[in-house]
Amino acid sequence: MKRYLFSAALATLLAFAAGVLAQSNPALDARLKKLEEELRCLVCQNQSLADSSAPLAEDLRREVRALADQGKNDAQIKEYLVARYGDFVLYNPPVKAITWLLWFGPFVLLAGGGVIWALVLRRRARRGYDDDDLPPDPRAVDAGVEKARELLDDPRA
Amino acid sequence: MKALRLLLPLAVFAILVVFLWVGLSRDPREVPSPLIGKPAPEFRLPQLHAMDKQLSTSEMKGQVWLLNVWASWCVSCRIEHPLLVELARTKVVPVIGLNYKDKNDLGIAWLQRYGDPYSISIVDADGRVGIDWGVYGVPETFVVDKSGMIRYKHIGPLTTEALERKILPLVRELQNA
């Protein structure tokens, strides 16, 4: 009797566990987690939707999950949020006219630096040396030492 | 050429100053809404004082109106509230109150205590309509024109300045349009 009860309890427990497992979907969870990490929480702006515990972030996570359950793909879910909150919700801003400076500005600066560097190199190559590279003229050094000595010996100083 | 070389760092510095100046004077909390110039999102919500009755966006067509998103748990809503009560007294424009993620009894008690400036109060208990309207920081106030288009959004508590400089002139302009 006891053994029968035990196995019945075990069977119930297993059925329950199977039910729970069937409900949670690790692949979907991983996909949503990744998606939520690319979305910004609007309340605490330096946190992603995945990290934030703000009530709005909870609501938006719920909304994202509901959309995913409806069979929407990541791009469609992002579109849904951008329509309501603007590009600001995306941690990865889309490339468009207004973000050109943001995306290509650093490369423009890099190219500018390269041009200046090339110009400096070319000028040095043409001149053969730079002023600072010259060894001091020994005669000039001698003259300077002489002058210093004179000044030091000068009784008026 | 020599002058250019001397002025170049100054020019770069000046550009940097302009960028930083503009960047620092902007409020990062104010996220521009993509809904401005778009039709107001459709809702059909129960009324706070008569839960069996509903109000939908389309019923407001043909008039300029404001949507004020508030909640009894929202501290800064209390700051802007006297302004809304004052505005309601002038009867310039109907204000619809969206009671956002609140408990009905708390919302009703709050309005009894601080005054009820709303033509109609509607209930968004789970915040779904708030998401449709891109609400992220209560209080928020929207200006909707006669054709049902969102024309302006104010984020955070209303101020006398925002009302008189921006919202009321816009309302008058839209009413005369």
Side-chain angles (χ1 to χ4, degrees):
Chain A
M1 186 60 194
K2 218 174 194 176
R3 188 185 284 170
Y4 174 73
L5 259 180
F6 176 73
S7 53
L10 193 69
T12 319
L13 203 69
L14 277 175
F16 182 69
V20 169
L21 279 177
Q23 266 185 351
S24 77
N25 178 346
L28 179 70
D29 286 349
R31 182 191 137 203
L32 291 183
K33 173 96 174 131
K34 194 170 164 291
L35 178 64
E36 282 158 7
E37 272 165 5
E38 290 170 30
L39 297 168
R40 191 199 301 261
C41 168
L42 286 119
V43 183
C44 25
Q45 298 184 342
N46 287 326
Q47 273 187 311
S48 74
L49 217 49
D51 293 336
S52 175
S53 57
L56 180 67
E58 278 168 30
D59 290 354
L60 289 176
R61 278 200 298 267
R62 192 188 61 205
E63 208 65 15
V64 164
R65 183 167 283 272
L67 289 169
D69 286 340
Q70 286 166 31
K72 297 264 187 343
N73 65 29
D74 289 6
Q76 285 167 321
I77 293 173
K78 280 186 184 169
E79 211 175 283
Y80 172 93
L81 288 170
V82 167
R84 285 157 180 75
Y85 293 101
D87 287 338
F88 195 81
V89 290
L90 304 174
Y91 264 123
N92 233 342
V95 181
K96 47 174 150 177
I98 199 172
T99 57
W100 280 350
L101 191 65
L102 180 70
W103 278 101
F104 305 120
F107 298 107
V108 171
L109 286 179
L110 187 68
V115 166
I116 290 173
W117 187 46
L119 282 177
V120 168
L121 282 185
R122 212 175 59 180
R123 199 167 52 202
R124 280 193 192 180
R126 207 168 36 213
R127 231 183 350 194
Y129 53 79
D130 206 48
D131 286 347
D132 297 337
D133 297 341
L134 267 185
D137 183 345
R139 279 169 305 175
V141 173
D142 287 349
V145 169
E146 193 62 31
K147 178 87 181 159
R149 199 163 277 148
E150 255 172 50
L151 283 170
L152 286 170
D153 291 343
D154 194 338
R156 286 168 302 169
Chain B
M1 193 64 198
K2 193 109 193 166
L4 190 77
R5 258 177 82 174
L6 283 173
L7 283 176
L8 199 64
L10 192 66
V12 170
F13 178 70
I15 291 169
L16 211 65
V17 165
V18 169
F19 268 83
L20 291 177
W21 189 267
V22 172
L24 288 174
S25 61
R26 276 188 174 176
D27 185 356
R29 299 226 145 257
E30 284 197 12
V31 180
S33 174
L35 289 166
I36 288 163
K38 300 244 171 68
E42 205 53 52
F43 60 68
R44 173 167 283 281
L45 288 174
Q47 299 184 10
L48 181 63
H49 296 289
M51 286 296 279
D52 52 329
K53 280 203 274 181
Q54 293 185 319
L55 180 77
S56 67
T57 316
S58 46
E59 283 170 60
M60 297 305 294
K61 274 223 171 101
Q63 58 181 328
V64 179
W65 56 288
L66 303 186
L67 182 84
N68 178 248
V69 185
W70 70 280
S72 67
W73 46 261
C74 153
V75 180
S76 41
C77 293
R78 214 173 298 175
I79 298 171
E80 69 168 11
H81 206 68
L83 283 173
L84 285 169
V85 173
E86 190 59 39
L87 178 67
R89 202 166 292 151
T90 63
K91 293 194 164 62
V92 173
V93 60
V95 184
I96 303 295
L98 182 77
N99 193 210
Y100 177 75
K101 298 190 74 175
D102 206 351
K103 293 213 170 63
N104 283 1
D105 51 342
L106 294 180
I108 290 169
W110 198 86
L111 288 180
Q112 267 165 4
R113 187 159 165 201
Y114 297 107
D116 185 352
Y118 304 118
S119 317
I120 299 173
S121 287
I122 46 181
V123 177
D124 182 23
D126 59 3
R128 287 286 306 263
V129 167
I131 291 176
D132 281 344
W133 284 67
V135 170
Y136 66 90
V138 201
E140 291 187 10
T141 306
F142 295 83
V143 180
V144 185
D145 72 9
K146 288 178 189 168
S147 66
M149 200 93 90
I150 295 183
R151 300 303 287 263
Y152 185 71
K153 176 185 182 181
H154 182 89
I155 296 158
L158 288 170
T159 56
T160 317
E161 200 197 356
L163 263 181
E164 275 166 13
R165 286 244 181 105
K166 196 74 215 184
I167 294 173
L168 288 177
L170 179 65
V171 164
R172 260 176 238 125
E173 187 195 319
L174 293 172
Q175 281 171 337
N176 293 328

